C-alpha cells in the first residue's frame, strides 16, 4: 500500500509561520518531540516577512517588512500584556512608538488642514461602539460598520476628505471597507487588543527582520538544521480521518501522521491550493467561504536622502484623492527620528481593490501614479525620481493568497467556529481562526498554541472534538460566547480606558 512508503510522525504541522512554530513549541513543552513542520518557503516566519530594499549611506542594503510590521496593543505594567510585545522585548526587537497624532493632511491641491475630521470620526465611533455592545449583549442582528457609523451621524458620502479620514481609521486596519465589515466583530477585534492591553502600536524597524523573535523561539526547541523542519516543501494533498492524516508534497514526499495541524492562511484554503480528502463537509466549507481574505500592500520608495521633501518630524501624511477612495491614501515616513533616519524611505499603503489594481499594474505604472500623487501633495518641483521602488503582490503569493482575514457582517460566531473546528484528526490554526484577534500576530500565536493543546490532550488519551455547528441560525446565543467557541476574554474591556 502507498501508505507504507510514508514517513511516520505523531504530529504533522502544516506551515511554519507564527501559528505553526507556536504549535511546535507547545508540543515540545509537553514533551512531544515527534513532529515535523512542512513549510513552503525557504525560511520560517510566513506572513512575518522582510526583504532588503535600497541602501544606507554606506551602501548597505536596508531591511523593510513586507508583512506584519506593528506590535499592536502593548500592555500595562502589572496588567495583561500582548504576548508578541513580551517576545519582542525578549529578543530586543527594535521598535518605535507609532504616533498617530503625528499626521498632516493633504488633497490634490497640496496641504489642507482637515484634521478636525479625526475628532468628528472619533465621536461617531463612540456611538458605534455602544451600538456594537448592545447588539452583542442582546443577541441582535449584526450589521455592517457603515450602518454603525451612520448611527453616529458620520456620513462621508462624496466628501473625499471624510473618506480619507475614514480609510485611515477603518480600512487601514481591516483591509476592507466599512460596507463589507462586521460592526460587532470589527469593534470586538479592536477592543480585545487595544482596550485589553494598551492603545499603543509600535512599529518594527529591526534590521534582522521582525521575525527574529520567532526564529529565536524556534531555536529553543529546534536544533540547527533540525530534520523535523522541512523547508521548501509544498503540501499538495491532505487526507484526513478519525484515525490519522496522510500528507503528500509536490516532490512526491509522503507523511503519515497521527494528527495534523493545518496553519495555511484563509487565502490558501479558499483558493483550493491544497486538496483535502475527503472533500470538506458543508459546515466546514461554509466556514471557509464566508470569511474574507484581505490584501494590504505597502509600496516602498527611496529618494536621495539629501532631497527628502516631506517634513522629517512627521510620521504620517494622509492624502484625499478627489476621485477615488483609498487611492494612495496613507504615506508613512521611515526617514524620521526613531525609524530609519537618513534612509530617504517613505511608503504608501493601499488595500483591497486598490491592491488588486497595483498588483495588476507594472511597477512602472504604479510608480508613476504614486509620484503624481506625491507631486500634487508636496509640489512638482520638490519631488525627484526615486532611487529605489518596490512592492509585494500578496494576493498572488501561492503560499498566502492575500494578507490577513476580515470578518464580514452578518457572519456569526458559530460560523467562525466552523472555520476553526477540527475534522477528525486534522486541526486548524492561524490568524483567521482567532475569533478575537483575527488579522493580528497574537491571533496566530494563541491559535497555534490552542490547536497544539488539543492535540496534546488527544495524544494523552483524553480527546474531545472541537464543537461545530450545523445547521447555522441567524445569530449566536450569548451563552455561546465561551471558550469552546474561541471566545476567551470578555468583549467588554474596561482596562482603564
Ligand atoms: C501586509 C501585512 C501586514 C500585516 N501587518 C500586521 C501588523 O502590523 N501587526 C500584526 O500583528 N499582524 C499583521 N499582519 C498579520 C500577521 O502577519 C499574521 O496574522 C500572521 O503572520 C499569520 O500567521 P499564521 O501562522 O496564521 O499564517 P502564515 O504566516 O501564513 O503561516 C502559514 C505558513 O504556511 C505556509 N504554507 C502555505 N501553503 C503551504 C503549502 N501548500 N505547503 C507548505 N506550506 C505552506 C506558508 O508559507 C506560511 O509560512 C500583517 C500581514 C500582512 C500580510
Amino acid at each position: 500500500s502507498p501508505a507504507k512508503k510514508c514517513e511516520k510522525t505523531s504530529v504533522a504541522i502544516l506551515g511554519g509561520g507564527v501559528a505553526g512554530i507556536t504549535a511546535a513549541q507547545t508540543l515540545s513543552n509537553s514533551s512531544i518531540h515527534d513532529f515535523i513542520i512542512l513549510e513552503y518557503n525557504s525560511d520560517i516566519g510566513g506572513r512575518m516577512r522582510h526583504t532588503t530594499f535600497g541602501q544606507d549611506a554606506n551602501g548597505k542594503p536596508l531591511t523593510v517588512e513586507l508583512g506584519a510590521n506593528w506590535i499592536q496593543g502593548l500592555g500595562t505594567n502589572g496588567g495583561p500584556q500582548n504576548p508578541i510585545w513580551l517576545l519582542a522585548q525578549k529578543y530586543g526587537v527594535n521598535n518605535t512608538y507609532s504616533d498617530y497624532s503625528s499626521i498632516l493632511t493633504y488633497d490634490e491641491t497640496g496641504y489642507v488642514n482637515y484634521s478636525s475630521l479625526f475628532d468628528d470620526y472619533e465621536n461617531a465611533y463612540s456611538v458605534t461602539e455602544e451600538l456594537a455592545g448592545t447588539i452583542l449583549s442582546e443577541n441582535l442582528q449584526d450589521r455592517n460598520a457603515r450602518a454603525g457609523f451612520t448611527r453616529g451621524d458620520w456620513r462621508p458620502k462624496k466628501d473625499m476628505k471624510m473618506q480619507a479620514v475614514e480609510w485611515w481609521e477603518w480600512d487601514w486596519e481591516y483591509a476592507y471597507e466599512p460596507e463589507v465589515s462586521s460592526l460587532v466583530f470589527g469593534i470586538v477585534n479592536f477592543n480585545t487588543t487595544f482596550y485589553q492591553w494598551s492603545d499603543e502600536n509600535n512599529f518594527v524597524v529591526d534590521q534582522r527582520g521582525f521575525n527574529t523573535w520567532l526564529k529565536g523561539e524556534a531555536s529553543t526547541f529546534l536544533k540547527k538544521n533540525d530534520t523535523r523542519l522541512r523547508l521548501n516543501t509544498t503540501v499538495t494533498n491532505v487526507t484526513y480521518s478519525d484515525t490519522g492524516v496522510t500528507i503528500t508534497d509536490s516532490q512526491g514526499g509522503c507523511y503519515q501522521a497521527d494528527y495534523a495541524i493545518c496553519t495555511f492562511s484563509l487565502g490558501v484554503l479558499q483558493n483550493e491550493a491544497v486538496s483535502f480528502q475527503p472533500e470538506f463537509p458543508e459546515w466546514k466549507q461554509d466556514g471557509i467561504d464566508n470569511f474574507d481574505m484581505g490584501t494590504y500592500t505597502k509600496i516602498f520608495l527611496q529618494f536621495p536622502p539629501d532631497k527628502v521633501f516631506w517634513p522629517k518630524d512627521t510620521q504620517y501624511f494622509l492624502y484625499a484623492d478627489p476621485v477615488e477612495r483609498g487611492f494612495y491614501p496613507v504615506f508613512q515616513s521611515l526617514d524620521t527620528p526613531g525609524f530609519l533616519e537618513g534612509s530617504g524611505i517613505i511608503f504608501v499603503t493601499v488595500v483591497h481593490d486598490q491592491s488588486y489594481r497595483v498588483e495588476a499594474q507594472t511597477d512602472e505604472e504604479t510608480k508613476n501614479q504614486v509620484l503624481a500623487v506625491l507631486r500634487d501633495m508636496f509640489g512638482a518641483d520638490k519631488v525627484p525620481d526615486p532611487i529605489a521602488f518596490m512592492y509585494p503582490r500578496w494576493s498572488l503569493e501561492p503560499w498566502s493568497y492575500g494578507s490577513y482575514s476580515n470578518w464580514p457582517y452578518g457572519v456569526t460566531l458559530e460560523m467562525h467556529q466552523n472555520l476553526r473546528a477540527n475534522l477528525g484528526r486534522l486541526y486548524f490554526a492561524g490568524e483567521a481562526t482567532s475569533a478575537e484577534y483575527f488579522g493580528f500576530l497574537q491571533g496566530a500565536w494563541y491559535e497555534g498554541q490552542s490547536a497544539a493543546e488539543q492535540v496534546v490532550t488527544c495524544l494523552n488519551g483524553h480527546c474531545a472534538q472541537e464543537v461545530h455547528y450545523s445547521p447555522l441560525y441567524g445569530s449566536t446565543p450569548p451563552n455561546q460566547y465561551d471558550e469552546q467557541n474561541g471566545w476567551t476574554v470578555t468583549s467588554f474591556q474596561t482596562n482603564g480606558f
Side-chain angles (χ1 to χ4, degrees):
S1 104
K4 278 210 180 103
K5 286 191 236 113
C6 294
E7 196 178 327
K8 290 202 163 37
T9 184
S10 284
V11 188
I13 298 169
L14 313 183
V18 174
I21 296 301
T22 55
Q25 185 170 36
T26 304
L27 296 178
S28 285
N29 291 345
S30 305
S31 303
I32 293 161
H33 304 292
D34 179 23
F35 59 80
I36 50 170
I37 305 169
L38 304 172
E39 169 53 47
Y40 179 104
N41 283 304
S42 57
D43 208 346
I44 64 169
R47 285 173 270 166
M48 252 207 313
R49 190 175 182 80
H50 55 268
T51 190
T52 54
F53 174 67
Q55 52 186 43
D56 68 11
N58 302 316
K60 193 164 163 260
L62 290 158
T63 297
V64 294
E65 300 294 332
L66 299 169
N69 222 147
W70 279 270
I71 307 157
Q72 304 196 263
L74 308 182
T76 44
N77 280 341
Q81 310 244 14
N82 181 346
I84 308 301
W85 172 231
L86 295 173
L87 288 159
Q89 288 173 290
K90 179 173 171 188
Y91 291 96
V93 171
N94 189 4
N95 63 81
T96 302
Y97 173 61
S98 225
D99 184 358
Y100 294 135
S101 64
S102 177
I103 182 167
L104 295 172
T105 53
Y106 297 75
D107 71 5
E108 77 283 8
T109 66
Y111 173 72
V112 184
N113 188 350
Y114 51 89
S115 53
S116 64
L117 292 176
F118 296 119
D119 293 336
D120 296 349
Y121 177 92
E122 291 297 333
N123 291 338
Y125 188 80
S126 304
V127 176
T128 312
E129 277 179 319
E130 271 181 43
L131 175 60
T134 306
I135 292 172
L136 182 60
S137 55
E138 295 181 13
N139 193 23
L140 305 176
Q141 194 178 74
D142 188 19
R143 60 208 66 186
N144 65 17
R146 165 69 58 230
F149 295 154
T150 304
R151 185 72 73 87
D153 221 8
W154 172 263
R155 302 162 200 271
K157 301 205 189 292
K158 295 290 181 290
D159 184 328
M160 298 313 276
K161 295 182 179 65
M162 287 177 81
Q163 290 283 8
V165 166
E166 183 182 276
W167 192 100
W168 154 267
E169 301 273 5
W170 186 271
D171 303 39
W172 197 33
E173 189 63 61
Y174 299 96
Y176 272 99
E177 306 75 18
E179 280 75 5
V180 296
S181 304
S182 164
L183 171 62
V184 168
F185 295 97
I187 299 277
V188 166
N189 181 261
F190 184 92
N191 290 0
T192 48
T193 281
F194 298 113
Y195 291 171
Q196 179 186 193
W197 294 319
S198 74
D199 60 357
E200 296 139 304
N201 283 318
N202 278 20
F203 188 85
V204 171
V205 283
D206 200 297
Q207 292 300 291
R208 297 167 297 177
F210 194 173
N211 66 24
T212 195
W213 68 261
L214 189 70
K215 290 180 180 167
E217 284 298 281
S219 72
T220 64
F221 61 92
L222 292 175
K223 296 184 296 287
K224 203 170 186 306
N225 300 322
D226 200 303
T227 53
R228 293 172 298 174
L229 175 61
R230 310 291 168 86
L231 299 170
N232 300 308
T233 303
T234 306
V235 170
T236 50
N237 182 279
V238 178
T239 302
Y240 60 92
S241 73
D242 290 339
T243 53
V245 183
T246 306
I247 299 126
T248 51
D249 69 33
S250 61
Q251 309 283 316
C254 173
Y255 315 85
Q256 174 83 55
D258 295 332
Y259 294 88
I261 301 173
C262 175
T263 71
F264 299 156
S265 75
L266 178 65
V268 167
L269 296 176
Q270 288 181 337
N271 278 277
E272 300 181 315
V274 178
S275 74
F276 289 85
Q277 258 102 44
E279 236 173 64
F280 287 149
E282 214 168 278
W283 62 263
K284 184 67 171 184
Q285 194 59 48
D286 271 351
I288 293 169
D289 294 342
N290 272 286
F291 287 84
D292 280 337
M293 187 64 175
T295 302
Y296 179 109
T297 315
K298 291 179 253 186
I299 303 169
F300 294 89
L301 300 96
Q302 186 182 35
F303 290 94
D306 58 339
K307 297 215 172 94
V308 164
F309 49 86
W310 60 90
K312 284 203 183 195
D313 58 354
T314 304
Q315 295 185 16
Y316 297 100
F317 307 92
L318 182 66
Y319 170 68
D321 187 79
V323 180
E324 274 183 70
R325 185 180 185 281
F327 189 79
Y328 307 113
V330 172
F331 287 83
Q332 191 171 339
S333 171
L334 291 183
D335 196 344
T336 293
F339 298 88
L340 299 176
E341 218 178 337
S343 67
I345 296 178
I346 195 165
F347 66 95
V348 57
T349 299
V350 293
V351 301
H352 194 198
D353 287 349
Q354 297 288 342
S355 285
Y356 301 151
R357 169 223 284 279
V358 300
E359 288 186 350
Q361 288 178 173
T362 63
D363 282 22
E364 202 57 26
E365 285 166 329
T366 303
K367 183 165 88 180
N368 288 337
Q369 285 172 348
V370 176
L371 282 176
V373 167
L374 283 173
R375 286 171 180 151
D376 282 348
M377 290 168 72
F378 294 97
D381 52 332
K382 302 273 189 325
V383 181
D385 283 338
I387 49 178
F389 180 83
M390 179 273 298
Y391 61 94
R393 288 172 168 79
W394 278 105
S395 86
L396 306 177
E397 288 292 350
W399 57 272
S400 69
Y401 287 110
S403 303
Y404 52 86
S405 66
N406 185 40
W407 198 309
Y409 78 97
V411 176
T412 60
L413 181 64
E414 291 176 337
M415 179 75 91
H416 183 269
Q417 180 57 27
N418 285 354
L419 167 65
R420 186 171 184 254
N422 68 306
L423 284 164
R425 289 192 171 194
L426 175 63
Y427 286 76
F428 293 85
E431 158 274 305
T433 68
S434 173
E436 297 187 302
Y437 307 100
F438 60 88
F440 292 123
L441 291 165
Q442 49 267 32
W445 193 84
Y446 283 126
E447 287 295 291
Q449 231 176 29
S450 159
E453 281 164 6
Q454 300 271 352
V455 169
V456 170
T457 313
C458 288
L459 286 167
N460 291 336
H462 312 287
C463 208
Q465 299 293 304
E466 294 172 316
V467 293
H468 70 261
Y469 299 92
S470 178
L472 285 164
Y473 296 100
S475 64
T476 301
N479 64 1
Q480 274 176 219
Y481 284 81
D482 59 9
E483 199 161 341
Q484 67 170 353
N485 289 312
W487 208 256
T488 54
V489 299
T490 171
S491 11
F492 301 104
Q493 299 291 336
T494 53
N495 203 23
F497 295 96

